[in-house]
Amino acid sequence: MEKIKTDVLKQMFLDGARLIIEKEPYLTEIDSVIGDGDHGEGMKRGCEALIKILETENYVYVDELCRAVSIELIKTMGGASGIIFGTMFLGGISSLGH
Ligand SMILES: [Mg+2]
């Protein structure tokens, strides 16, 4: 299995977070049809917080980066999304053993 470098994964998180922020109006629009319309706002809030820590902190290991991403999303995103996305990245590193 090919390994991913921490700085490449960090850039992927940054790119994904910026795209989600850009698409906040669309997320709000579709959640207004099927839910209560706050999904875009929560995703944007979590992604803005994520960008802030990723732009200021340095991570040596992939699991260290994923753990920080998880904690930040759980802390800031709110609703079910924060727990789901935060847990997903935390669960993804559970077998790395660091
Ligand atoms: Mg909602």
Side-chain angles (χ1 to χ4, degrees):
M1 179 169 66
E2 192 170 329
K3 294 182 178 179
I4 189 165
K5 293 181 189 266
T6 306
D7 58 338
V8 172
L9 183 59
K10 181 178 177 178
Q11 190 59 52
M12 291 169 67
F13 279 125
L14 281 166
D15 291 346
R18 290 182 182 122
L19 183 61
I20 288 169
I21 291 168
E22 181 188 316
K23 297 296 183 184
E24 182 271 334
Y26 181 62
L27 294 173
T28 297
E29 180 189 332
I30 59 175
D31 188 41
S32 297
V33 175
I34 61 170
D36 59 4
D38 67 349
H39 183 64
E41 179 188 321
M43 293 294 286
K44 181 180 177 187
R45 182 176 52 248
C47 288
E48 285 174 341
L50 185 59
I51 289 171
K52 199 174 289 182
I53 66 156
L54 293 180
E55 286 181 340
T56 55
E57 300 292 329
N58 291 312
Y59 304 96
V60 176
Y61 301 108
V62 165
D63 60 332
E64 177 189 13
L65 169 62
C66 288
R67 187 170 291 108
V69 168
S70 298
I71 290 167
E72 198 62 23
L73 293 180
I74 290 169
K75 262 181 14 189
T76 62
M77 193 169 272
S81 303
I83 298 296
I84 291 168
F85 288 111
T87 304
M88 178 174 70
F89 294 120
L90 208 52
I93 60 170
S94 64
S95 64
L96 294 180
H98 287 153

